[in-house]
């Protein structure tokens, strides 16, 4: 599944093609995605795109009449293509632009979404209750320390709770916990203030590095320009169960937490 860096890379890839351009046509081939694509999406036609922003893993295409909210789901990807490019299987939605290009959503599993909202997009029910963005000042050591008090759930799934902080998905939670030598099985309430500070710094660093390198290529993700990301080459623990730890050399282990696989070093992480 694309995580925050992949979504941010997609935003950066499509932004220069969309901002300031007028939408000439919206083509919906399959309305049944995670939620039905609303008929109101056609209100984009004739409107200029004023901004392309991101909230958590949602991309927001702002126009003068409203905002299209996009989510890539499990396997979705966005491409910028010339208008008239023939669609292939699983090309579900096109947003055609006056510059002769189009934004195309390709989503084999149809777990993605294209929605429409008017007014304040951040007040949409999908966005209103989300936690702070991890790369902003709102996500800071004191915030993490205060939120961790009396939280007895394991620290790794707790970090992945979008009501606590958005966008720290499975890959990056694993990597940040390894970087700080924190055992993912520990209760969140056991974190010290120093560990909270280190964890905030590690999360910001690992996400920024992944964005800079174009995201992490797994099975389904490619950038808007079709090129893969390369952060996968730097993963220290994710997907490496049984391999030697890059620090101590002992075999890495894995376990299931909240229906996701956790990777860690039982010797380095305490």
């Amino acid at each position: 599944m694309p995580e925050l860096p992949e979504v941010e890379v997609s935003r950066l890839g499509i932004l220069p093609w969309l901002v300031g351009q007028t939408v000439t046509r919206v083509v919906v081939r399959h309305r049944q995605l995670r939620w039905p694509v609303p008929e109101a999406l056609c209100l984009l036609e004739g409107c200029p795109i004023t901004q392309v922003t991101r909230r958590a893993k949602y991309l927001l295409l702002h126009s003068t009449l409203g905002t299209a909210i996009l989510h890539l789901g499990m396997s979705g990807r966005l491409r910028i293509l010339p208008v008239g490019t023939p669609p292939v299987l699983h090309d579900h939605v096109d947003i055609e632009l006056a510059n002769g290009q189009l934004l195309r959503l390709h989503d084999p599993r149809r777990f993605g979404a294209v929605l429409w909202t008017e007014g304040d997009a951040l007040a949409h029910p999908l966005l209103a209750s989300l936690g702070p963005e991890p790369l902003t000042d709102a996500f800071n050591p004191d915030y993490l320390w205060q939120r961790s008090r009396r939280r007895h759930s394991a620290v790794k799934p707790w970090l992945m709770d979008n009501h606590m902080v958005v966008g720290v998905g499975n890959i990056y939670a694993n990597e940040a916990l390894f970087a700080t030598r924190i055992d993912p099985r520990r209760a969140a309430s056991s974190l010290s203030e120093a560990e909270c500070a280190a964890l905030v710094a590690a999360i910001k660093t690992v996400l920024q590095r992944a964005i800079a390198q174009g995201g992490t290529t797994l099975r389904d993700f490619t950038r808007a320009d079709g090129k893969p990301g390369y952060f996968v080459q730097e993963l220290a623990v994710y997907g490496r169960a049984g391999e030697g730890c890059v620090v101590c050399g002992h075999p890495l282990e894995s376990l299931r937490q909240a229906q996701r696989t956790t990777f860690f070093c039982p010797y380095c992480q305490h």
Side-chain angles (χ1 to χ4, degrees):
M1 174 188 292
E3 296 192 10
L4 183 148
E6 287 80 12
V7 179
E8 179 64 10
V9 167
S10 291
R11 185 188 75 84
L12 294 172
I14 66 176
L15 184 149
W17 299 92
L18 269 62
V19 172
Q21 294 297 319
T22 297
V23 175
T24 56
R25 189 167 72 129
V26 174
V27 179
V28 180
R29 298 183 187 86
H30 299 284
R31 291 197 179 274
Q32 293 304 314
L33 301 181
R34 184 174 181 181
W35 300 285
V37 178
E39 297 281 353
L41 188 67
C42 68
L43 292 174
L44 268 177
E45 295 179 352
C47 291
I49 302 295
T50 58
Q51 277 185 298
V52 180
T53 62
R54 178 189 53 76
R55 181 69 171 110
K57 297 181 187 179
Y58 294 92
L59 288 171
L60 309 180
L61 310 185
H62 302 269
S63 77
T64 50
L65 285 185
T67 303
I69 302 175
L70 280 62
H71 194 285
L72 299 180
M74 295 289 291
S75 59
R77 59 191 174 105
L78 297 170
R79 300 292 299 277
I80 298 292
L81 300 165
V83 169
T85 301
V88 299
L89 186 65
H90 307 307
D91 284 347
H92 301 315
V93 178
D94 288 353
I95 297 175
E96 297 183 1
L97 305 165
N99 60 3
Q101 304 295 314
L102 61 82
L103 177 69
R104 174 167 290 171
L105 173 66
H106 178 88
D107 186 5
R109 300 185 191 178
R110 296 197 199 179
F111 289 158
V114 182
L115 302 172
W116 174 259
T117 188
E118 298 178 17
D120 181 7
L122 297 182
H124 188 279
L126 290 173
L127 308 180
S129 63
L130 294 175
E133 290 284 333
L135 296 178
T136 65
D137 291 340
F139 182 62
N140 57 63
D142 184 64
Y143 171 82
L144 196 66
W145 164 253
Q146 295 296 335
R147 290 297 300 266
S148 68
R149 301 307 86 197
R150 300 181 183 178
R151 298 294 304 199
H152 301 299
S153 57
V155 63
K156 191 249 187 167
W158 176 68
L159 287 174
M160 295 174 60
D161 181 353
N162 281 324
H163 297 289
M164 201 281 292
V165 59
V166 301
V168 185
N170 197 34
I171 296 172
Y172 303 105
N174 278 288
E175 293 297 307
L177 287 167
F178 177 76
T180 52
R181 305 297 184 258
I182 295 171
D183 190 316
R185 299 167 292 186
R186 282 176 52 186
S189 59
S190 73
L191 294 173
S192 68
E193 289 187 75
E195 286 175 324
C196 285
L199 193 50
V200 166
I203 288 169
K204 290 178 184 287
T205 296
V206 73
L207 291 173
Q208 288 166 339
R209 283 169 49 208
I211 291 168
Q213 297 202 32
T216 304
T217 296
L218 300 178
R219 290 179 304 172
D220 300 315
F221 177 74
T222 54
R223 301 189 302 187
D225 60 7
K227 298 178 182 178
Y230 296 101
F231 187 70
V232 68
Q233 299 172 11
E234 293 192 10
L235 295 176
V237 290
Y238 184 84
R240 297 189 59 240
E243 299 180 28
C245 172
V246 296
V247 174
C248 71
H250 285 89
L252 299 173
E253 296 184 6
S254 65
L255 56 86
R256 296 288 287 182
Q257 290 183 302
Q259 301 182 325
R260 303 303 295 275
T261 304
T262 294
F263 301 89
F264 67 105
C265 176
Y267 295 89
C268 292
Q269 293 174 255
H270 308 285

